[in-house]
Amino acid sequence: MKKTADTILPGATAVSARRPTLLWSVPFFLAGVLLQLMPYFGWNFSTLPGTLDTLFNRYVLEHGYLWLMGEEPSFWNAPFFYPAPLALAYSDCHAGNLPFYALFRIAGFGPDGALQCWILLQYLLNFAACVWMLRKLEFSPLAAAAGSYLFTFAMPVTAQLTHIQLLPRFPIPLAFGALWLFWQKPNLRCFSLLIGALFWQFACSIYLGTLLLLALGVFFCCLAIRDRKRKDWRQVLLGKGHEILYRLLLLVAAVAMLLQFLFPPYLVVWRMLDLTQPFSIQLLLLPHLSSYLLPAGDAFCWQWLHALISIDSYKDEHTLFAGIAALAATVAAAWLLCRKSPRNPLLLTAFLCWLILIAFSLQIGDFCLYKSLRDIVPGLNSLRSMTRIILVLLLFQAIFIAWAVDCLGAGKFRRWLLLFLPILMLEGMVLRPESCYDKAAEQAKVDRIAAQLENLPPRSVFIRFADPPAPGPETNLYAMLAAQQTGMITVNGYSGHNPPGWFMLGWPEKKDFPSALRQWQRLSGEVFFSKDPAAPWKIRLYRIR
């Protein structure tokens, strides 16, 4: 019996079924790099995506490398925001990313070059992990490459290039692939991969780790409900006999490592600042229906639509449109699931999970399910931008893309691939990036500040007040980079949050600067050194311009 596009199972008779995976994956990955990443790097690798946030993430990664090399005495107590302790815990610490970055530094790359290599490596890991997952789900090599292209290079990913701490997403497909395989045939190997992937995502980014944990929970519930007549979810999760002990030991070991090494500094900062995000702020960063139609501003083919759709606040954060190819595949999957019985188990589970997560975070008028659950589900009330859930949702759309490619590759629909695949690959291409910076120009700014520090004693504490006054974030960040370059300590600081009482949110008027500094000296002593408030300031404080 001849199979049609309605009945084909993933990868069953796709035209590329006999092709090796690399034959399709390598061209797709190289095309994504050339079309979407290289415009940000420049063809001579002279630029980097983003501006201040990218420079800050470079500082954090370089600080970790210097700590590994023994040139910094403490990982968490980075030498900025002096004298506030745990300065690194006011933002992502990049603990899971540090080994990759350090390898490039050890290989001889400078900080900017190592950062470019690290970004490229994250794209490669994201792509390879998604290919692995889709192949384990029995999609063809061509379908796996196409789905991985969407997961790795979709427009929402491009829109977040100004926040490169969100790039490491390779644990997401590893975790979902492991969970799917574990559900089909529970074993210690799949469970270990699931726990390991979740652990590593938290180590790379607590933000994405929290979203991944939420999505895995929904996916597991969908599997349990779908197969409730055939499997007992408790038996699958716990296993039998000695399996229970092994799984509990793995879970306890992962949680203990997070609680011992990663979470404590963040919990201290959380208590000091009460980082529960006010719902008024989160409300501005909840997806609307229009968010899922807003393309990246850098996408050449969709700039007209980006200008047409109006978002009042944080427009770049609302860029959730994955492209017309992803939209078509999602609509086709929904149509088939409503029309055909029996339904494809994988497609049904993925679609239900995708739909639930969208409904959970979507704001329609005054209605928002997230508002009711944010104080019930641990960690949700600390997430400022729920729009970033798209970085997890893209995995399900990658499954829809892979399914669509295998369907089109069957029989009479094969020719449609000649239209579908070019649209998928070209609709997000970037010609002129809106946000990138020249490495040499930024380094020259840092060098000018570092020159003022060369004659100071080692590990001196300084504060920079630009004259004429410059925007506070830039002044503070360049001072941090200069301090790192020369091995100094600075009162200046830039991060996702600021220590309690820190006075340099913006710049005070020049005449108010001495009093503002004295106030910080008093408050920082009282807050961080209650037993001896004067202790951190029993040193000479150098002031530079």
Side-chain angles (χ1 to χ4, degrees):
M1 179 179 175
K2 186 177 180 179
K3 295 185 180 180
T4 67
D6 290 358
T7 59
I8 188 171
L9 293 175
T13 60
V15 65
S16 57
R18 299 200 263 302
R19 305 279 185 126
T21 301
L22 285 177
L23 183 64
W24 290 112
S25 297
V26 171
F28 270 80
F29 177 74
L30 291 178
V33 170
L34 292 175
L35 292 173
Q36 301 201 41
L37 184 57
M38 287 308 297
Y40 289 94
F41 279 177
W43 296 105
N44 58 353
F45 291 89
S46 62
T47 58
L48 274 163
T51 48
L52 297 183
D53 278 355
T54 302
L55 286 168
F56 172 72
N57 282 288
R58 194 202 85 172
Y59 176 95
V60 174
L61 286 166
E62 182 68 10
H63 171 77
Y65 165 73
L66 294 174
W67 173 72
L68 283 176
M69 296 295 104
E71 297 181 34
E72 281 291 341
S74 171
F75 178 72
W76 290 105
N77 297 315
F80 64 96
F81 282 145
Y82 182 86
L86 304 177
L88 220 59
Y90 290 94
S91 187
D92 280 312
C93 70
H94 285 284
N97 303 315
L98 179 55
F100 305 116
Y101 176 84
L103 285 177
F104 294 118
R105 289 290 280 122
I106 294 171
F109 289 92
D112 283 325
L115 184 63
Q116 284 179 318
C117 292
W118 175 81
I119 291 173
L120 183 59
L121 178 62
Q122 297 312 309
Y123 272 91
L124 177 60
L125 291 175
N126 293 344
F127 189 90
C130 194
V131 167
W132 173 85
M133 183 201 74
L134 293 173
R135 291 294 287 144
K136 287 297 182 181
L137 298 180
E138 299 182 352
F139 288 104
S140 69
L142 174 58
S148 300
Y149 185 93
L150 180 84
F151 178 74
T152 308
F153 298 104
M155 285 184 281
V157 179
T158 303
Q160 291 291 348
L161 267 179
T162 53
H163 306 293
I164 60 171
Q165 70 271 23
L166 300 175
L167 272 181
R169 295 158 56 235
F170 61 92
I172 295 175
L174 294 180
F176 275 99
L179 179 55
W180 176 264
L181 295 174
F182 180 76
W183 183 261
Q184 305 304 316
K185 186 178 180 180
N187 58 61
L188 188 60
R189 178 183 299 178
C190 292
F191 188 80
S192 301
L193 179 57
L194 171 61
I195 298 300
L198 185 58
F199 170 85
W200 204 262
Q201 188 64 78
F202 269 105
C204 290
S205 169
I206 292 181
Y207 213 113
L208 287 180
T210 304
L211 293 176
L212 174 58
L213 182 60
L214 171 67
L216 286 172
V218 174
F219 192 69
F220 184 83
C221 290
C222 290
L223 289 171
I225 293 172
R226 189 199 70 190
D227 294 341
R228 60 189 180 280
K229 295 181 179 179
R230 296 191 302 110
K231 293 184 178 181
D232 183 352
W233 65 268
R234 287 161 293 198
Q235 185 175 351
V236 172
L237 191 61
L238 295 176
K240 300 178 181 178
H242 62 275
E243 293 178 350
I244 300 177
L245 177 61
Y246 290 152
R247 293 175 190 177
L248 283 177
L249 285 175
L250 275 172
L251 184 60
V252 169
V255 172
M257 290 180 67
L258 290 174
L259 292 177
Q260 178 68 28
F261 300 110
L262 185 64
F263 288 167
Y266 285 106
L267 293 174
V268 171
V269 169
W270 189 315
R271 294 190 194 100
M272 284 195 301
L273 297 181
D274 186 16
L275 286 179
T276 300
Q277 295 290 336
F279 186 66
S280 59
I281 298 296
Q282 291 180 317
L283 188 63
L284 299 174
L285 289 162
L286 287 174
H288 311 285
L289 287 174
S290 59
S291 303
Y292 288 96
L293 297 175
L294 180 65
D298 286 352
F300 175 74
C301 299
W302 292 104
Q303 289 177 344
W304 62 274
L305 184 58
H306 181 84
L308 191 64
I309 296 178
S310 176
I311 302 288
D312 293 335
S313 303
Y314 302 103
K315 187 173 183 178
D316 288 343
E317 290 286 343
H318 283 269
T319 301
L320 308 185
F321 182 53
I324 197 68
L327 179 61
T330 305
V331 171
W335 175 78
L336 181 65
L337 290 172
C338 291
R339 173 178 175 270
K340 190 68 181 177
S341 183
R343 298 176 176 87
N344 183 322
L346 170 63
L347 199 63
L348 175 62
T349 308
F351 188 83
L352 283 177
C353 189
W354 175 81
L355 198 61
I356 290 170
L357 290 171
I358 285 183
F360 167 75
S361 59
L362 190 66
Q363 178 190 359
I364 303 177
D366 294 330
F367 174 77
C368 179
L369 184 61
Y370 172 79
K371 182 179 180 180
S372 304
L373 299 176
R374 66 186 291 267
D375 294 323
I376 299 175
V377 181
L380 283 185
N381 57 10
S382 65
L383 300 180
R384 180 166 53 186
S385 178
M386 277 302 293
T387 54
R388 293 175 181 177
I389 199 171
I390 189 64
L391 299 175
V392 178
L393 293 176
L394 284 172
L395 184 76
F396 302 110
Q397 291 188 284
I399 293 174
F400 305 153
I401 285 284
W403 166 81
V405 169
D406 272 349
C407 287
L408 292 175
K412 61 181 179 179
F413 298 97
R414 188 177 305 174
R415 293 181 180 179
W416 286 95
L417 285 176
L418 299 177
L419 177 64
F420 184 78
L421 292 178
I423 290 176
L424 170 67
M425 299 173 70
L426 295 175
E427 63 178 329
M429 70 175 178
V430 176
L431 294 182
R432 295 180 179 177
E434 291 183 354
S435 179
C436 60
Y437 68 88
D438 184 85
K439 296 190 301 183
E442 296 302 305
Q443 185 58 46
K445 297 176 184 178
V446 175
D447 289 340
R448 283 195 293 270
I449 302 171
Q452 302 180 57
L453 305 175
E454 290 179 351
N455 296 325
L456 300 185
R459 303 299 287 182
S460 293
V461 179
F462 75 92
I463 184 168
R464 179 182 182 233
F465 178 58
D467 189 18
E474 294 182 11
T475 298
N476 290 322
L477 185 54
Y478 294 144
M480 287 169 54
L481 292 168
Q484 185 177 70
Q485 185 171 309
T486 56
M488 302 298 177
I489 303 170
T490 182
V491 177
N492 300 85
Y494 176 96
S495 189
H497 301 277
N498 300 309
W502 194 70
F503 68 102
M504 300 171 78
L505 299 172
W507 279 110
E509 295 294 331
K510 186 175 181 181
K511 60 181 180 182
D512 296 327
F513 179 71
S515 61
L517 177 58
R518 284 193 296 271
Q519 184 180 13
W520 167 245
Q521 291 173 320
R522 178 180 59 81
L523 288 174
S524 61
E526 293 175 357
V527 172
F528 304 117
F529 302 89
S530 56
K531 294 182 179 180
D532 187 4
W537 298 104
K538 294 176 180 178
I539 58 168
R540 179 175 179 181
L541 177 64
Y542 295 89
R543 294 175 59 178
I544 65 170
R545 299 290 183 180

